[in-house]
């Protein structure tokens, strides 16, 4: 499925339990890679905000793939 293709070559989780999120200067950065392009989704105050931005972009990229 497209979802599996999007997640290929990435860890399903990291120390925060979320793909594409790491801590940076007391905040959480979310990033996603697709077809060799790295999308930096910015710094967020909470893991939940970072995860929400990651999932939103993931869904957007998957929708573009279907269209």
């Amino acid at each position: 499925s497209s979802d599996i293709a999007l997640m290929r070559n990435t860890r399903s989780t990291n120390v925060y339990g979320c793909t594409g999120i790491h801590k940076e200067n007391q905040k959480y950065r979310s990033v996603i890679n697709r077809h060799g392009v790295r999308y930096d989704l910015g710094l967020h105050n909470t893991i939940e905000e970072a995860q929400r931005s990651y999932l939103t972009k993931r869904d957007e990229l998957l929708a573009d793939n279907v269209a």
Side-chain angles (χ1 to χ4, degrees):
S1 92
S2 326
D3 197 23
I4 292 170
L6 182 64
M7 302 314 239
R8 190 180 52 217
N9 298 326
T10 62
R11 292 181 182 168
S12 60
T13 59
N14 61 21
V15 294
Y16 301 108
C18 308
T19 300
I21 298 171
H22 64 270
K23 194 164 188 177
E24 185 177 314
N25 298 326
Q26 304 303 316
K27 293 194 177 196
Y28 301 90
R29 181 171 300 279
S30 62
V31 295
I32 191 168
N33 294 292
R34 179 71 166 152
H35 297 301
V37 178
R38 181 178 189 262
Y39 298 90
D40 185 336
L41 306 175
L43 288 171
H44 306 277
N45 292 320
T46 66
I47 292 172
E48 291 80 11
E49 290 174 2
Q51 184 178 29
R52 189 169 29 257
S53 83
Y54 178 91
L55 294 174
T56 299
K57 185 64 173 181
R58 182 198 66 184
D59 292 346
E60 177 186 315
L61 292 170
L62 288 172
D64 288 347
N65 193 41
V66 172

